[in-house]
Amino acid sequence: GMEVRKSADKLTNVKVGETITYTITVKNTGNVTLKNITVTDDLTGDTWTIDELAVGATSEPKQVTYIVKEADLLNHKIENIATATTTNPDDPTEEVKDDDDETVETEEVVPGMEVTKTADVTKDVKVGDTITYTITVKNTGNVTLTNVKVDDAQTNLHKEIAELAVGATETYTTEHTITEADILEGSYTNKATAEADDPTKEGDEKVTDWSEVTVETEEAKGQIAVEKTANKTSDLKVGDVVTYTIVVTNDGNVTLSNVVVDDAQTGLTDIIDVLAVKESKSYTTTHTINEADLIAGQFVNTATADGEDP
């Protein structure tokens, strides 16, 4: 008879990449010497031969090693069997065989993912400024993640990662151009999300994370500039015609609407439905110098413009 004994140097909480060392011995428990004993370790694939083993003798310890794999982690344990076989010296047709197994428990499977999002500018941005975002997705767990979907819907970024190994990262950049609506809001907040299949569960279970960045805009300013010039400003006589040029400009940072332009003394009036940022509109109007102007010694004329403050 034979007795196989197998032991592992680690029995619990082993991690992926860790090495387990198994020690295997064979003892002759019969009453005849055994020869040409073949010993096989199933997990490692190691095979060796013990030439001769006397009655009651135990073979020299044989050590084999195995590196823990992710599949073992998902299986929660590692089972390993060592088998010894030979033939009965008194009857070559009779097989003498024994085996021993050892089960090693792995650490808990903990899937994890971290999304980090940053912006190259975070304050005082203006209309037309382009914000560049950097999005990093990292596998922070202890198992590979699959079918990872990365989305930044507001900037139309949609990416897929077939496999993301433990500790691995993927990085993306995307952009947003600041709009007037952002200025009126006072800030622009943008969110990136990622989800992956959960390797520990079946069905629709997901591993998820998200990150968002808020970019502060400059203060919204509704402003109008009115510039008025005259083609003649001195030595005027009764009957002289003065031509005025009036320029109305939106010199704020938001669009103005229903801008009322008025030069009451010359009878000029107009409404500008929409005046975009930095946009100007020009008018000309006239006044004929009269006797009252001459007596007064001057003619003062005022043009105004006002619009709805967005």
Side-chain angles (χ1 to χ4, degrees), residues 108-289:
E108 181 183 358
V109 178
V110 183
M113 182 167 54
E114 182 180 60
V115 178
T116 304
K117 181 173 185 176
T118 59
D120 62 339
V121 182
T122 58
K123 61 182 180 180
D124 296 329
V125 293
K126 303 173 177 59
V127 172
D129 284 355
T130 297
I131 309 303
T132 299
Y133 297 99
T134 301
I135 301 167
T136 301
V137 182
K138 182 177 182 179
N139 183 341
T140 57
N142 60 2
V143 286
T144 296
L145 297 174
T146 58
N147 299 321
V148 183
K149 293 180 174 59
V150 185
D151 291 288
D152 190 322
Q154 290 161 276
T155 65
N156 202 33
L157 173 77
H158 306 285
K159 299 291 183 179
E160 293 189 9
I161 309 167
E163 286 190 354
L164 190 63
V166 175
T169 61
E170 290 287 344
T171 301
Y172 306 96
T173 58
T174 187
E175 296 179 340
H176 170 72
T177 300
I178 295 298
T179 66
E180 191 171 304
D182 302 330
I183 297 291
L184 291 171
E185 186 68 24
S187 64
Y188 179 71
T189 300
N190 195 4
K191 185 176 183 178
T193 64
E195 68 172 29
D197 292 344
D198 189 335
T200 66
K201 299 180 176 65
E202 296 180 356
D204 296 329
E205 295 286 344
K206 299 292 182 182
V207 179
T208 64
D209 195 38
W210 60 272
S211 179
E212 69 179 17
V213 176
T214 297
V215 174
E216 302 293 335
T217 68
E218 67 176 356
E219 182 183 355
K221 295 178 182 177
Q223 252 176 221
I224 300 175
V226 178
E227 184 181 4
K228 183 173 184 178
T229 57
N231 67 330
K232 299 176 182 178
T233 59
S234 63
D235 298 327
L236 295 168
K237 303 175 182 60
V238 173
D240 284 352
V241 176
V242 180
T243 300
Y244 297 98
T245 300
I246 301 166
V247 180
V248 179
T249 302
N250 180 346
D251 64 351
N253 59 7
V254 287
T255 297
L256 301 174
S257 58
N258 297 320
V259 180
V260 178
V261 183
D262 190 44
D263 190 326
Q265 290 161 287
T266 67
L268 170 69
T269 184
D270 189 39
I271 297 177
I272 307 170
D273 293 332
V274 176
L275 190 63
V277 176
K278 305 307 178 186
E279 183 181 5
S280 297
K281 187 167 183 180
S282 297
Y283 302 89
T284 59
T285 186
T286 61
H287 171 71
T288 301
I289 298 298

Side-chain angles (χ1 to χ4, degrees), residues 289 292-300:
I289 298 298
D293 302 331
L294 206 63
I295 293 171
Q298 63 180 2
F299 178 70
V300 179

